[in-house]
Amino acid sequence: MTDILNHIDQGVMTLTFNRVDKKNSITSAMYAALADAMEQAEQDAAVRVVVIQGHETIFSAGNDIADFLNNPPAGQDSPVFRFLRNIAAFPKPVIAAVAGPAVGIGTTLLFHCDLVYAGDNAAFSMPFVNLGLCPEAASSLLVPQMMGYHRAAEALLMGEPFMAEAAQEVGLVNRVVPPLELNNYAQAQARKLAAKPITSLTETKRLMKGGQAAHIKAQMAEEGASFGRMLREPAAKEAFGAFMEKRKPDFSKL
């Protein structure tokens, strides 16, 4: 799987989106590779921290639309839902390094990371409504918790991008750095964590996140059911059809 690079060094597993020519859009096979890597990292005692990164110009454009339409999620055991469950329940620290656009799941996966560093060119967006769909990855729960309801409503109902400084202001991003320095900075932070006692890291994370684990799992399941239903409805068909035909969607009769 060359579209997802997996490298382990000094206790840090680095997962790199490596499909820059396709804006790091994520296919079903890439989700499977990410899910497998998270399972490997959880079981491998040599891995103490996971870093998820992209290119200095693009983190991820979200789902590869053509692949998504050809291979829609088929239930909760599909690769995308397996990856989301894995990252949500992952016991060790996860760091994300985000430069350039982070669209859809490229943003929602960040709410399950422990530290997020962004390039000053980062642009976050969750345009699910614009595609005739609903949020996923428990973002309908986690975004209002982090941002407050009104900012969350703007992000999820309007679906428009917000930049790195705004993401830092609401707590999604820990620090903003120049894009060319971003991945190295995230690696340095990961090595600091990897040098700490793993039992202390995992127990601290468990205590911080344990209280909402069941809520996240339930929200993911409810979102997944709604997402699957809405994917078959007219609004989504119009949105995806317009995307493939490179035209503006028309929802006026829906």
Side-chain angles (χ1 to χ4, degrees), residues 51-55 59 95-99 110 115-119 182-183 186:
V51 174
I52 301 174
Q53 65 184 25
H55 188 263
F59 182 66
I95 295 176
V98 183
L110 304 175
L115 298 169
V116 178
Y117 301 110
L182 175 65
N183 287 354

Side-chain angles (χ1 to χ4, degrees), residues 53-239:
Q53 65 184 25
H55 188 263
E56 64 208 37
T57 62
I58 177 75
F59 182 66
S60 174
N63 286 316
D64 180 295
I65 298 298
D67 180 82
F68 185 73
L69 293 175
N70 290 329
N71 302 286
Q76 292 298 311
D77 291 328
S78 63
V80 59
F81 290 126
R82 190 160 64 92
F83 165 64
L84 289 175
R85 285 197 303 273
N86 286 353
I87 194 171
F90 192 71
K92 303 174 186 179
V94 181
I95 295 176
V98 183
V103 181
I105 197 168
T107 289
T108 58
L109 73 84
L110 304 175
F111 290 89
H112 301 285
C113 296
D114 302 292
L115 298 169
V116 178
Y117 301 110
D120 56 24
N121 64 340
F124 306 87
S125 61
M126 296 175 282
F128 305 110
V129 166
N130 301 343
L131 294 171
L133 299 171
C134 67
E136 35 82 318
S139 56
S140 58
L141 170 69
L142 297 175
V143 178
Q145 282 184 357
M146 178 175 287
M147 294 185 173
Y149 181 82
H150 289 104
R151 286 182 174 179
E154 185 172 50
L156 289 169
L157 297 179
M158 299 299 293
E160 296 173 350
F162 55 99
M163 306 307 289
E165 288 186 2
Q168 186 178 25
E169 181 185 350
V170 298
L172 178 59
V173 166
N174 293 88
R175 182 168 298 184
V176 179
V177 301
L180 291 174
E181 300 174 14
L182 175 65
N183 287 354
N184 285 340
Y185 182 83
Q187 289 293 322
Q189 295 296 92
R191 288 193 293 273
K192 288 180 187 178
L193 284 175
K196 299 180 187 294
I198 188 64
T199 52
S200 294
L201 292 173
T202 55
E203 186 64 6
T204 300
K205 178 171 178 173
R206 185 191 72 81
L207 289 167
M208 287 195 296
K209 302 192 76 160
Q212 64 177 358
H215 297 296
I216 289 173
K217 184 177 180 181
Q219 196 79 1
M220 278 190 179
E222 184 173 357
E223 288 174 347
S226 294
F227 195 99
R229 170 179 54 79
M230 296 180 77
L231 192 59
R232 300 186 295 271
E233 293 178 348
K237 291 180 179 179
E238 167 62 15

